[in-house]
Amino acid sequence: MKKLLSCLFAVAILIINVIPCFAANPTLSISSNDYTIGIGDEITVSVNLSSGSNLGTLTFNVNYNTSQFEYIAGSVSTGLFESGESNVASGGKVSFACVSTGVVTDGGTVASMKFRVLSTGGKISVSVVDATDENDGRVTVAGSSISLSCNHAGMVWETEKASTCTTHGVERGTCTCGYTTTREADLASHTYSSSTVIKEATCTTTGIEVGTCTVCGENGAQSPIPAKGHDYSEWVITREATAETMGVKERICQTCGDKKTQTIPTLIEGIDPEDTTGDDVTESTTEFAPIYTPEPSTNNYMDEIETETTTEANGLFGNAVGSDIAIIVVIALAVLLVLVLVVYMILIIRQKKK
Ligand SMILES: [Zn+2]
Ligand SMILES: [Zn+2]
Ligand SMILES: [Zn+2]
């Protein structure tokens, strides 16, 4: 019986020795607030200790590639360890050293750091340098790493297959990290190079035309066609003017038949109505002056008038003024003849007395 108890005790001791060995197998994990990053982003990375570590001291490094990340700042979190410090080492390594007066049994964040992203697709890892329990016994602690993938914010898109107004083309995007993908391109704009008349313009109303796509036949925005304006014929006199009554003339649009009517003023006395041609009448409705005023613009015209007047005064005795002058001349000649005869008679009488 005593031997059996002794055996059980030995098993219990073995179990007690084994259990701390399982418990004291802590891990340091590393995490980020943003696993998809772009160039210029600022990210926070934290180092976390699993619970039940039974650690008294912990020294670890955080490793990164200096061409991918710029270290900004880091600090040890209070709560798990009593004190700790961080140092920036060259070559992309930040070192942390933490000490506790008791045994660390809780898990949580040990340290946190800020990095700026210089190029995408980087990796940050944590490696343990040294870890001891409360009795300065060595404890094995495993570390871990995180890979930060590119958010492809720097993607440059190029046309791989052009779109038409009816079919989507293909665009290919290439990121600075080397990632490449394709997407559906937006439809192209319509090509409105011809137009269709929906409503014809008339003399007085505007029409409507619409652009039609030469590719798909789609009708675009409507645009107005200006009114054509009337196309009137020449004026036609429908009632001749007389000295007493005004005349009427009209003209008709050869497109729509619109009729315009205008009055012709009464004729001026002494002007022969027969001399008035259609054009002259049109003139007379607007201008009376030319009928009365001879064109004084050329001297030749005036010379002709003077010449004609002179010729008529000398040449034609048949008229009233000419015959009066002839009578006066005849009387004067007769009186002269009588005077000559009287003088002749007096001379003859004086010679007979001698
Ligand atoms: Zn990318
Ligand atoms: Zn189209
Ligand atoms: Zn018209």
Side-chain angles (χ1 to χ4, degrees), residues 37 120 149-155 174-179:
I37 55 174
T120 55
S149 57
C150 179
N151 63 7
H152 307 316
M155 193 81 85
T174 306
C175 185
T176 50
C177 70
Y179 172 77

mmCIF file of all heavy atoms in Angstrom, residues 37 120 149-155 174-179, ligand 1:
data_model
loop_
_atom_site.group_PDB
_atom_site.id
_atom_site.type_symbol
_atom_site.label_atom_id
_atom_site.label_comp_id
_atom_site.label_asym_id
_atom_site.label_seq_id
_atom_site.Cartn_x
_atom_site.Cartn_y
_atom_site.Cartn_z
ATOM 1 N N ILE A 37 -2.495 48.047 -47.930
ATOM 2 C CA ILE A 37 -1.864 49.355 -47.766
ATOM 3 C C ILE A 37 -1.475 49.924 -49.110
ATOM 4 O O ILE A 37 -1.293 49.202 -50.096
ATOM 5 C CB ILE A 37 -0.610 49.240 -46.871
ATOM 6 C CG1 ILE A 37 0.334 48.186 -47.459
ATOM 7 C CG2 ILE A 37 -0.999 48.887 -45.443
ATOM 8 C CD1 ILE A 37 1.652 48.089 -46.738
ATOM 9 N N THR A 120 4.733 49.003 -51.609
ATOM 10 C CA THR A 120 3.680 48.081 -51.166
ATOM 11 C C THR A 120 4.158 46.636 -51.153
ATOM 12 O O THR A 120 5.189 46.303 -51.739
ATOM 13 C CB THR A 120 2.466 48.210 -52.096
ATOM 14 O OG1 THR A 120 2.894 47.994 -53.435
ATOM 15 C CG2 THR A 120 1.838 49.573 -51.963
ATOM 16 N N SER A 149 -0.571 43.376 -47.812
ATOM 17 C CA SER A 149 -0.781 43.360 -49.274
ATOM 18 C C SER A 149 -1.112 44.760 -49.789
ATOM 19 O O SER A 149 -1.624 45.598 -49.048
ATOM 20 C CB SER A 149 -1.886 42.380 -49.644
ATOM 21 O OG SER A 149 -3.060 42.710 -48.960
ATOM 22 N N CYS A 150 -0.835 44.973 -51.049
ATOM 23 C CA CYS A 150 -1.065 46.280 -51.680
ATOM 24 C C CYS A 150 -2.555 46.509 -51.864
ATOM 25 O O CYS A 150 -3.302 45.602 -52.218
ATOM 26 C CB CYS A 150 -0.357 46.312 -53.033
ATOM 27 S SG CYS A 150 -0.578 47.851 -53.908
ATOM 28 N N ASN A 151 -2.992 47.746 -51.615
ATOM 29 C CA ASN A 151 -4.406 48.070 -51.875
ATOM 30 C C ASN A 151 -4.610 48.524 -53.327
ATOM 31 O O ASN A 151 -5.692 48.919 -53.714
ATOM 32 C CB ASN A 151 -4.915 49.131 -50.898
ATOM 33 C CG ASN A 151 -4.198 50.453 -51.044
ATOM 34 O OD1 ASN A 151 -3.391 50.652 -51.960
ATOM 35 N ND2 ASN A 151 -4.485 51.382 -50.149
ATOM 36 N N HIS A 152 -3.541 48.480 -54.094
ATOM 37 C CA HIS A 152 -3.580 48.798 -55.537
ATOM 38 C C HIS A 152 -4.171 50.184 -55.807
ATOM 39 O O HIS A 152 -4.841 50.410 -56.805
ATOM 40 C CB HIS A 152 -4.370 47.729 -56.312
ATOM 41 C CG HIS A 152 -3.888 46.339 -56.040
ATOM 42 N ND1 HIS A 152 -2.556 46.000 -55.986
ATOM 43 C CD2 HIS A 152 -4.567 45.191 -55.786
ATOM 44 C CE1 HIS A 152 -2.428 44.714 -55.726
ATOM 45 N NE2 HIS A 152 -3.636 44.190 -55.582
ATOM 46 N N ALA A 153 -3.921 51.109 -54.870
ATOM 47 C CA ALA A 153 -4.432 52.481 -55.073
ATOM 48 C C ALA A 153 -3.689 53.165 -56.215
ATOM 49 O O ALA A 153 -4.202 54.109 -56.817
ATOM 50 C CB ALA A 153 -4.286 53.294 -53.798
ATOM 51 N N GLY A 154 -2.498 52.704 -56.530
ATOM 52 C CA GLY A 154 -1.705 53.339 -57.591
ATOM 53 C C GLY A 154 -1.909 52.679 -58.942
ATOM 54 O O GLY A 154 -1.045 52.745 -59.811
ATOM 55 N N MET A 155 -3.057 52.036 -59.110
ATOM 56 C CA MET A 155 -3.342 51.329 -60.365
ATOM 57 C C MET A 155 -3.461 52.319 -61.530
ATOM 58 O O MET A 155 -4.129 53.335 -61.425
ATOM 59 C CB MET A 155 -4.660 50.570 -60.217
ATOM 60 C CG MET A 155 -4.915 49.568 -61.300
ATOM 61 S SD MET A 155 -4.039 48.038 -60.999
ATOM 62 C CE MET A 155 -5.193 47.204 -59.928
ATOM 63 N N THR A 174 -2.536 48.193 -64.161
ATOM 64 C CA THR A 174 -1.274 47.671 -63.644
ATOM 65 C C THR A 174 -0.875 48.509 -62.434
ATOM 66 O O THR A 174 -0.845 49.742 -62.504
ATOM 67 C CB THR A 174 -0.179 47.751 -64.716
ATOM 68 O OG1 THR A 174 -0.649 47.077 -65.896
ATOM 69 C CG2 THR A 174 1.102 47.089 -64.246
ATOM 70 N N CYS A 175 -0.595 47.831 -61.298
ATOM 71 C CA CYS A 175 -0.236 48.527 -60.071
ATOM 72 C C CYS A 175 1.278 48.630 -59.958
ATOM 73 O O CYS A 175 2.009 47.863 -60.578
ATOM 74 C CB CYS A 175 -0.816 47.782 -58.871
ATOM 75 S SG CYS A 175 -0.551 48.659 -57.318
ATOM 76 N N THR A 176 1.694 49.594 -59.146
ATOM 77 C CA THR A 176 3.139 49.754 -58.915
ATOM 78 C C THR A 176 3.727 48.502 -58.271
ATOM 79 O O THR A 176 4.929 48.252 -58.374
ATOM 80 C CB THR A 176 3.397 50.957 -57.993
ATOM 81 O OG1 THR A 176 2.542 50.835 -56.840
ATOM 82 C CG2 THR A 176 3.091 52.256 -58.694
ATOM 83 N N CYS A 177 2.884 47.684 -57.618
ATOM 84 C CA CYS A 177 3.376 46.464 -56.976
ATOM 85 C C CYS A 177 3.524 45.327 -57.988
ATOM 86 O O CYS A 177 4.003 44.249 -57.644
ATOM 87 C CB CYS A 177 2.435 46.032 -55.857
ATOM 88 S SG CYS A 177 0.842 45.423 -56.441
ATOM 89 N N GLY A 178 3.092 45.562 -59.221
ATOM 90 C CA GLY A 178 3.197 44.530 -60.243
ATOM 91 C C GLY A 178 1.891 43.807 -60.503
ATOM 92 O O GLY A 178 1.765 43.071 -61.486
ATOM 93 N N TYR A 179 0.917 44.021 -59.628
ATOM 94 C CA TYR A 179 -0.385 43.381 -59.799
ATOM 95 C C TYR A 179 -1.068 43.941 -61.054
ATOM 96 O O TYR A 179 -0.992 45.138 -61.339
ATOM 97 C CB TYR A 179 -1.249 43.644 -58.572
ATOM 98 C CG TYR A 179 -2.682 43.190 -58.696
ATOM 99 C CD1 TYR A 179 -3.030 41.851 -58.568
ATOM 100 C CD2 TYR A 179 -3.696 44.126 -58.941
ATOM 101 C CE1 TYR A 179 -4.341 41.444 -58.671
ATOM 102 C CE2 TYR A 179 -5.008 43.721 -59.048
ATOM 103 C CZ TYR A 179 -5.329 42.381 -58.917
ATOM 104 O OH TYR A 179 -6.627 41.992 -59.025
HETATM 105 ZN ZN ZN B 1 -0.716 47.010 -55.934
#
